[in-house]
Amino acid sequence: MSAMKRFLDKFMLLDLFAGLGITAKNMFKKKVTIQYPEERWEPAHRFRGMFRLDEDRCIKCTICAKDCPIDIIYIDWHQEVNPETNKKEKVLTRFDIDVQRCMFCGLCEEGCPTEPKSIWLTTKTYELASYDRWSNLYVDMDGLQEWKVRPAYTDEEIA
Amino acid sequence: MDAIQQAVGDPLFYGVVSPALKILVLLFLGVLPLITYLVLAERKILGYMQARVGPNRVGPWGILQPIADVMKLLVKGDNIPNQAVKWAFILAPCLVVAPAFIIFAVIPIGPPAGELGPLDWFVTDVNAGILFVIAMATIGVYGLIIGGWSSNNKFSLMGGLRSAAQMISYEVPQGLSLVAPLILYGTMSLVGMVQAQAAMSWQVRLITLVPMVISFFIYLVAGVAESNRNPFDLPEAESELVAGFHTEYSGMRFALFFLGEYANMIVISAVATTVFLGGWLPPVAALGFIPGPIWFALKVFVFLFAYIWFRGTFPRYRFDQLMDLGWKWLIPLALGNLALTAVIKLWLLYR
Amino acid sequence: MNELNQSPFADVDPATEMSDSLFARGEEMELNFGPQHPSTHGVLRLKLRVDGERITDCYPIIGYLHRGTEKLFELHPFFQNVPHTDRMDYVAAATNNLAYVGAVEKLVGLVIPPRARYIRTILCELQRISSHLLWLATHAIDIGAMTPFFYTFRERELILDLFEQFCGARLTLNCMRPGGLPHDLPVGWTDKCREFIGLFPAACDEYEGLLTHNRIWKKRTVGIGVLPPDVAVDYGITGPMLRGSGIQWDLRKAMPYEAYGEVEFEVPIGQNGDTYDRYLVRMEEMRQANRIIAQCLDKLPEGPILAKRPRVMKAAKDAEVYYGIESPKGEIGFYIVGDGTPNPYRCHVRPPSFVNLQSLPELTKGYLLADLVALIGTTDIVLGEVDR
């Protein structure tokens, strides 16, 4: 019986037909293609995208700069007297991140002690291409705070 | 048409004008667009089998994609390697494309004159149609060898030789498998074969089923190997070391090789439909109101779909296993089938 | 003058250990299966001597992806080095992470809470499935079957989505810390994971239906690249390559770590040591990984996910540790030497692909060029790991 089955299998090419059947079945299944850029796939909540800084919340502890595995965060701060409260406080002079080398590992965000964090990567932004090399690759403090949440592919603002 | 017929005179009309018009219409308005859209169809169907959609940006469902491809290939630089043999380099793509188109001259798309319109639905009906087909198919091998050799590239020479060896060794089973239906139908002309199929009674069809199925299968396998398609596409596989005979070709020359491969596919499908599936005949007589050429086209499309299906499903054979299959399995099978067919035919003739 | 001092583009290499007899007579041809090639899965350069179609000798030349990872480890404290480990075997980042953090925990002496152990096991097994899916995709497409590539990537997308929901990245995960995990599972993650493991066996059946009994596949893989078990042990090969040759050695069973001691699973072994057996071993490993994930999800305990660890993790001077785990490709191990500061003094990696690659010349001698791609595929190397 099994010899007969083996003979049939070998000469009737059943294994090849099984393979053909699988590909034919897949022809009629739903396709998984997403038509980018008309449809965009929404990243997860914890997705590590482009980072954003909030200068007011930042306490200038420089933990993020120390935690960075590749040392691309450059922070300078100085003491200044705040005219409103007449107390000395730290003020950021420079908070630059070299995006060329950033690997979006999120250790800076993890190290930040403020609640909510002053530097965070969960901005769901991964479309960072631009026509100008230097506008996006070495981002200074203002750039970090003010970039649009999702660079628009069309002219309309996408929040 | 009648005016032209009267002006030119009968022999000239039937001998020159009518075939010329048919070639123009058939080849340039029929086959050439079919080949370019076959490329698109392959990409779309392969995509659908692979859980994705194929090209769909250039025009709805990618319909304008072949036009974009052709325009791109036309404007690409035409490089001839410095040390290449120039005349051979230029000749090789033509030798691949021309025989495929020539074979279309004898393939009947529809019935002869009188049944469906005043003209024959084929360019000409050669008495030894099958021989002509096999002979023209063999010329296509020259193009590969010359293309591989003239490129002055070690790897394309190797690839060209491998490809040529594969094609030559599968010519034999292809020819042998076409002899069996030849015996059963008793005629070599392609039109005659289809008419003989129409005339077979169901008892005869039942008796000759086994040898016909076997030769159909052999012809299909040999056909896939002849056109260098998966699972027999080792000579042109990109993931192998040797990039194939068309490494050095770019632009329109490469497009001609590509076109030749797809034209080959269509030709083999067309011959298979004519010899095995009944050409322009409807499968059931009741459906005869649909004209013959449409049935022919549908049957050819079934074969082309099968080609694309095979490409999407099977891994490829290694070169020595490929030659093994051709020489050690298909040829003895074809010869045995031939003997069986001869016995059956003798029994049918003298019972 | 040895190989290291020569330019990698030197044409004839008297220092390579390649046989010269036929070459000197002009019968063999020397081919460069160059660093840029669609099927070497990275920048691997193989110098081949071929006699017609037969490969008579093969000499792999690596180093095209060397990035100085082991030196980079020495520059930063322990917990900052985890992203660097992601990028070694970039296909299976979670197991790299686990090997490193496991070594650090062993060095510093941390005890991991049970919830963290179970979640880490789930991540590693998901990563095993994902890595094997990618291996199947590339192996199949090298041999000529195009569709398994797309089908496996469809399932792999689901796994990568799971990873993304957990730790924020799909490929370079950075999902473990010395002491446990950076964050807990998000709400609904276990349900999505269960959904995935529910549909995965059917997907496995689909790949098997396309390949396992296919006569063309069998012709291309049965009897190709036979690795005898004693040769495998001599070379120090681990992982599915070793198990394909019939040796029952899996670190998850031999030296259980994380939660592997508490779940039931089988370790498949092959019989002949050829490419087909290794293919079967990896397919079965995917199914067993599915089983492990199901059990872990059922047994997942509650509790903290990070151990109590000192604010600054220091290792004692001259303390050294070696910690190896079973990654999808074999045994990956970290050898860390501390020196009393928060940075490691030396951190050496034992990459499985590097050790498995040694067997490639042995495997390819006598086979045809067309088999070479199948053999590179079956050794399942990732050049990021080989070169670090």
Side-chain angles (χ1 to χ4, degrees):
Chain A
M1 192 57 216
S2 85
M4 181 69 169
K5 189 164 180 308
R6 270 199 329 244
F7 169 79
L8 272 179
D9 206 20
K10 195 165 156 69
F11 283 103
M12 297 298 283
L13 308 177
L14 289 173
D15 47 318
L16 297 181
F17 284 114
L20 287 174
I22 293 181
T23 35
K25 213 164 40 134
N26 267 288
M27 262 189 85
F28 300 106
K29 284 198 195 160
K30 188 166 174 309
K31 306 288 169 277
V32 296
T33 319
I34 296 182
Q35 303 289 343
Y36 187 86
E38 288 92 20
E39 306 166 11
R40 273 172 225 262
W41 155 81
E42 184 83 21
H45 183 68
R46 292 186 188 173
F47 181 75
R48 306 201 288 254
M50 179 65 177
F51 27 76
R52 211 178 173 89
L53 171 74
D54 191 329
E55 196 184 344
D56 302 320
R57 295 206 285 259
C58 177
I59 60 171
K60 295 94 185 160
C61 57
T62 69
I63 286 185
C64 52
K66 286 195 211 111
D67 271 2
C68 180
I70 30 188
D71 300 325
I72 51 162
I73 304 186
Y74 305 101
I75 300 185
D76 278 338
W77 54 268
H78 60 269
Q79 300 268 23
E80 236 183 46
V81 179
N82 187 347
E84 286 167 25
T85 59
N86 265 340
K87 275 207 277 208
K88 262 213 199 156
E89 61 181 26
K90 296 184 186 175
V91 166
L92 271 179
T93 351
R94 177 167 103 121
F95 191 112
D96 298 342
I97 298 189
D98 188 0
V99 188
Q100 285 177 96
R101 293 192 172 81
C102 177
M103 47 180 176
F104 299 97
C105 62
L107 285 180
C108 50
E109 177 184 359
E110 247 177 75
C112 186
T114 61
E115 190 71 45
K117 310 237 178 216
S118 318
I119 180 165
W120 67 101
L121 275 82
T122 52
T123 50
K124 294 196 183 181
T125 304
Y126 53 92
E127 295 148 317
L128 301 174
S130 74
Y131 286 103
D132 176 8
R133 185 191 279 197
W134 296 113
S135 67
N136 273 1
L137 288 183
Y138 190 93
V139 187
D140 65 357
M141 193 159 62
D142 301 315
L144 276 179
Q145 297 193 80
E146 269 142 44
W147 57 268
K148 292 205 260 293
V149 171
R150 184 175 294 174
Y153 191 80
T154 59
D155 284 330
E156 47 171 88
E157 281 258 1
I158 309 179
Chain B
M1 292 298 280
D2 291 330
I4 305 180
Q5 184 167 5
Q6 267 150 16
V8 172
D10 257 354
L12 212 54
F13 181 75
Y14 281 111
V16 175
V17 175
S18 164
L21 279 174
K22 281 186 209 162
I23 289 179
L24 266 175
V25 171
L26 174 65
L27 285 183
F28 294 105
L29 295 179
V31 174
L32 214 47
L34 179 62
I35 295 178
T36 46
Y37 277 91
L38 183 61
V39 179
L40 174 69
E42 172 168 21
R43 289 169 71 176
K44 293 285 288 183
I45 295 179
L46 267 185
Y48 271 87
M49 285 183 184
Q50 291 163 352
R52 59 186 173 97
V53 300
N56 67 347
R57 289 271 157 195
V58 194
W61 302 302
I63 287 189
L64 301 177
Q65 178 81 32
I67 303 180
D69 281 339
V70 167
M71 288 200 311
K72 175 201 80 162
L73 285 168
L74 276 173
V75 301
K76 261 191 162 177
D78 185 8
N79 313 318
I80 304 186
N82 233 348
Q83 307 278 359
V85 183
K86 227 167 160 192
W87 63 269
F89 197 80
I90 298 178
L91 181 64
C94 314
L95 276 181
V96 170
V97 170
F101 281 8
I102 290 178
I103 301 183
F104 271 105
V106 294
I107 292 182
I109 306 180
E115 285 175 37
L116 192 68
L119 290 176
D120 304 328
W121 282 91
F122 43 85
V123 179
T124 171
D125 180 25
V126 181
N127 270 351
I130 282 287
L131 264 185
F132 182 75
V133 166
I134 299 178
M136 285 298 120
T138 318
I139 294 187
V141 183
Y142 278 107
L144 296 185
I145 303 183
I146 294 181
W149 165 72
S150 68
S151 303
N152 193 40
N153 181 348
K154 225 187 322 181
F155 299 143
S156 57
L157 177 66
M158 266 171 74
L161 286 179
R162 274 158 112 180
S163 182
Q166 174 186 328
M167 285 181 85
I168 294 178
S169 39
Y170 278 87
E171 298 262 341
V172 183
Q174 190 184 29
L176 283 177
S177 72
L178 286 176
V179 175
L182 206 152
I183 293 180
L184 286 175
Y185 298 141
T187 165
M188 275 210 278
S189 99
L190 288 166
V191 177
M193 280 196 182
V194 179
Q195 288 166 334
Q197 287 179 58
M200 276 161 72
S201 66
W202 68 268
Q203 292 101 331
V204 176
R205 281 180 215 231
L206 201 57
I207 296 174
T208 56
L209 189 68
V210 170
M212 289 297 269
V213 165
I214 296 181
S215 40
F216 177 59
F217 163 72
I218 298 176
Y219 183 72
L220 201 61
V221 172
V224 173
E226 277 289 304
S227 38
N228 279 347
R229 296 275 300 179
N230 228 9
F232 302 106
D233 68 345
L234 196 68
E236 56 177 48
E238 307 98 30
S239 65
E240 301 297 323
L241 182 64
V242 184
F245 56 90
H246 48 62
T247 327
E248 299 284 342
Y249 286 85
S250 66
M252 210 53 206
R253 295 186 208 284
F254 172 73
L256 276 180
F257 268 123
F258 215 55
L259 237 64
E261 174 183 322
Y262 283 90
N264 237 337
M265 264 169 77
I266 300 181
V267 156
I268 293 176
S269 312
V271 170
T273 9
T274 315
V275 175
F276 294 104
L277 288 190
W280 67 81
L281 300 170
V284 179
L287 293 168
F289 58 90
I290 301 179
I294 297 196
W295 284 117
F296 183 81
L298 278 175
K299 292 175 193 175
V300 171
F301 289 158
V302 165
F303 275 103
L304 293 175
F305 179 74
Y307 263 104
I308 301 175
W309 205 2
F310 292 166
R311 181 166 184 205
T313 315
F314 298 137
R316 67 174 71 96
Y317 271 108
R318 210 175 55 196
F319 191 62
D320 59 330
Q321 291 162 354
L322 203 157
M323 302 293 266
D324 218 37
L325 189 72
W327 290 97
K328 290 196 200 160
W329 288 95
L330 286 185
I331 294 185
L333 191 60
L335 288 172
N337 187 40
L338 204 54
L340 181 63
T341 317
V343 166
I344 291 184
K345 179 69 175 181
L346 280 175
W347 184 75
L348 279 177
L349 280 179
Y350 293 116
R351 66 183 158 140
Chain C
M1 175 159 84
N2 63 359
E3 171 65 19
L4 292 172
N5 290 339
Q6 267 185 334
S7 140
F9 306 113
D11 235 307
V12 176
D13 223 339
T16 63
E17 304 116 33
M18 293 212 270
S19 64
D20 270 335
S21 51
L22 283 174
F23 190 68
R25 287 210 316 252
E27 288 191 8
E28 286 182 1
M29 185 165 74
E30 184 165 295
L31 279 177
N32 217 2
F33 207 74
Q36 300 150 328
H37 198 277
S39 49
T40 52
H41 304 294
V43 278
L44 172 68
R45 179 177 171 213
L46 291 174
K47 252 207 235 187
L48 301 171
R49 290 255 173 91
V50 283
D51 172 22
E53 285 261 344
R54 299 232 158 239
I55 302 177
T56 49
D57 220 329
C58 163
Y59 187 75
I61 299 175
I62 58 175
Y64 289 91
L65 196 51
H66 180 68
R67 296 159 290 181
T69 316
E70 294 184 356
K71 178 70 185 177
L72 281 176
F73 281 135
E74 300 169 15
L75 303 177
H76 288 285
F78 285 112
F79 70 96
Q80 282 183 26
N81 285 327
V82 186
H84 287 137
T85 59
D86 282 333
R87 281 140 175 93
M88 289 191 316
D89 177 4
Y90 37 79
V91 168
T95 41
N96 293 8
N97 283 353
L98 180 63
Y100 176 72
V101 301
V104 172
E105 285 153 7
K106 200 165 155 189
L107 188 64
V108 174
L110 294 173
V111 175
I112 317 301
R115 185 173 168 86
R117 278 192 301 125
Y118 273 85
I119 299 181
R120 278 183 181 180
T121 314
I122 297 177
L123 291 173
C124 281
E125 288 307 302
L126 278 176
Q127 192 64 267
R128 191 177 311 271
I129 298 179
S130 154
S131 170
H132 282 328
L133 285 175
L134 189 119
W135 161 81
L136 182 62
T138 47
H139 195 213
I141 207 169
D142 283 339
I143 295 190
M146 317 182 173
T147 29
F149 180 86
F150 294 95
Y151 296 162
T152 52
F153 268 65
R154 192 181 47 194
E155 265 74 55
R156 194 164 172 260
E157 272 302 302
L158 301 172
I159 300 184
L160 295 182
D161 281 345
L162 280 174
F163 275 125
E164 189 196 345
Q165 282 151 15
F166 172 65
C167 63
R170 286 151 51 99
L171 204 65
T172 51
L173 302 171
N174 196 18
C175 61
M176 298 180 194
R177 302 281 178 271
L181 300 161
H183 14 246
D184 206 340
L185 298 175
V187 174
W189 196 88
T190 44
D191 296 326
K192 293 203 187 85
C193 201
R194 274 187 219 276
E195 211 179 284
F196 171 74
I197 58 180
L199 63 86
F200 189 65
C204 260
D205 291 332
E206 200 178 45
Y207 317 140
E208 296 228 350
L210 267 182
L211 295 175
T212 308
H213 298 292
N214 193 323
R215 60 188 59 205
I216 309 179
W217 181 261
K218 279 196 185 161
K219 264 198 151 155
R220 284 300 294 266
T221 52
V222 172
I224 307 290
V226 177
L227 189 66
D230 47 337
V231 172
V233 171
D234 278 345
Y235 272 122
I237 293 180
T238 51
M241 280 202 80
L242 182 67
R243 294 196 279 277
S245 301
I247 300 192
Q248 175 86 274
W249 176 254
D250 185 336
L251 281 179
R252 297 175 290 170
K253 288 271 195 205
M255 308 173 186
Y257 54 95
E258 301 301 311
Y260 287 107
E262 296 149 37
V263 294
E264 276 177 24
F265 63 100
E266 278 148 31
V267 173
I269 54 173
Q271 280 140 345
N272 308 333
D274 57 12
T275 308
Y276 188 64
D277 276 351
R278 291 191 278 268
Y279 159 79
L280 288 176
V281 162
R282 288 186 176 111
M283 295 299 283
E284 187 58 33
E285 272 188 10
M286 283 203 278
R287 292 183 199 266
Q288 293 297 323
N290 210 28
R291 201 172 144 195
I292 296 178
I293 299 177
Q295 290 174 55
C296 281
L297 281 175
D298 289 333
K299 293 188 183 169
L300 197 61
E302 299 295 331
I305 45 147
L306 200 61
K308 281 251 176 306
R309 51 182 197 176
R311 232 175 75 79
V312 179
M313 268 190 303
K314 286 194 216 194
K317 190 150 169 50
D318 289 337
E320 55 185 31
V321 72
Y322 175 79
Y323 183 72
I325 63 163
E326 183 82 18
S327 89
K329 305 190 160 50
E331 171 183 340
I332 180 167
F334 270 79
Y335 171 70
I336 308 188
V337 178
D339 67 348
T341 65
N343 299 5
Y345 176 70
R346 170 84 172 106
C347 185
H348 172 72
V349 186
R350 183 236 186 252
S353 305
F354 182 75
V355 180
N356 291 357
L357 189 58
Q358 292 177 89
S359 64
L360 196 65
E362 178 89 22
L363 283 180
T364 56
K365 280 206 178 100
Y367 288 106
L368 303 183
L369 267 181
D371 295 321
L372 181 66
V373 274
L375 291 170
I376 296 179
T378 190
T379 43
D380 198 6
I381 51 176
V382 171
L383 265 297
E385 206 173 40
V386 172
D387 292 336
R388 281 158 274 140

